[in-house]
Structures are given as C-alpha cells and as structure tokens.
Amino acid sequence: MLGIGSRLELAHMGWCWRRQGFRTVRIDIDPQEMVRLPPDVGIVCDARRGVINLMVALGRLIDRRPSRAAECRAHTAAAMREVAALQPQASWLGAIREALPRDGFVVEKISQAGFAARLLFPVWRPRQYVTCG
C-alpha cells in the first residue's frame, strides 16, 4: 500500500496482525508520521516532490502498463451502486448534496448518516468534508 500525505487512520492499520506479504510505503513531510505507524519504507519529503521522484524512479514500469482508469471507474460505479442501497441515509445525503453549494462544506457526526457520508457524500475540494472520525 502506498500512503501519500495520509495519516493512514484505517482500523486495520492499528491491528497487531496483517495479511502476510502486506507492505506499506509512506510519503509524508512529517517525520513523526513514520514513528506513529511505522511503514516498511518511509520517505520523508513533500508529497508532490516525492511522487514525482518515485514516478521517475519507476518510469519504465509505469510506461509499460496500460491504463486501468476504465477498470477503476467500473469498480467505483459498482461500489456506488451497492452503497446507494443504504437507505434512508443515501437519500438524505443526496438531498443535502443537491441543496449545498458546490463550495459549501459538511460536518458529519457519529451517526448512521455520518458513517454513510464517508462513502456516499461527494466533495470536490479539500476541507469541504469534516469528520469527527
């Protein structure tokens, strides 16, 4: 797993076991992040610079691989169809998104609608979705 500028606050990151062969690479400007949840490979630098350097280093591998964008879009669409079944939360969140201006922001709380919002509520810019989790 490659984490770029992420706290990696996923539940399974704190578990004492991980699937065999699971490896993490982290790119983060904060060296303390490498101590808090130690990766297999930690790269302390600005995220943009780190990703560019990583892409240059892996250039030949990246250039030979066909795009998987269509595959990713298909997986995303399938996942969205599944989570859309979360009712009535999906309908509520859809109504909020429709009423909220594009530059508006949402602050969710620990509730069923808040949990569903993590999967269902579209945002387009940083700091437009605030979660207590």
Side-chain angles (χ1 to χ4, degrees):
M1 177 176 67
L2 174 61
I4 303 169
S6 169
R7 291 181 51 88
L8 295 179
E9 288 292 341
L10 305 169
H12 66 275
M13 294 304 291
W15 295 344
C16 60
W17 61 269
R18 292 198 185 135
R19 195 176 86 219
Q20 189 173 3
F22 182 82
R23 300 286 182 260
T24 57
V25 176
R26 295 186 74 177
I27 297 175
D28 201 294
I29 201 164
D30 183 359
Q32 286 301 309
E33 287 299 308
M34 304 305 168
V35 175
R36 192 178 59 78
L37 285 171
D40 295 294
V41 176
I43 303 167
V44 178
C45 66
D46 173 77
R48 184 175 193 277
R49 174 175 267 166
V51 169
I52 289 170
N53 288 335
L54 186 60
M55 289 176 70
V56 168
L58 299 173
R60 282 184 259 177
L61 295 174
I62 293 171
D63 291 341
R64 284 186 272 169
R65 294 184 70 184
S67 173
R68 295 180 68 192
E71 179 185 355
C72 289
R73 282 192 299 273
H75 285 300
T76 298
M80 291 308 291
R81 284 191 299 274
E82 285 188 40
V83 296
L86 297 173
Q87 293 297 335
Q89 294 85 353
S91 296
W92 298 339
L93 293 166
I96 292 168
R97 178 71 274 174
E98 188 175 316
L100 192 67
R102 192 167 176 93
D103 63 347
F105 65 93
V106 163
V107 178
E108 61 97 330
K109 63 178 270 181
I110 296 176
S111 65
Q112 290 301 312
F115 297 142
R118 296 175 188 183
L119 302 171
L120 290 167
F121 195 82
V123 294
W124 296 281
R125 299 183 62 193
R127 297 179 185 90
Q128 287 186 329
Y129 178 79
V130 179
T131 175
C132 60

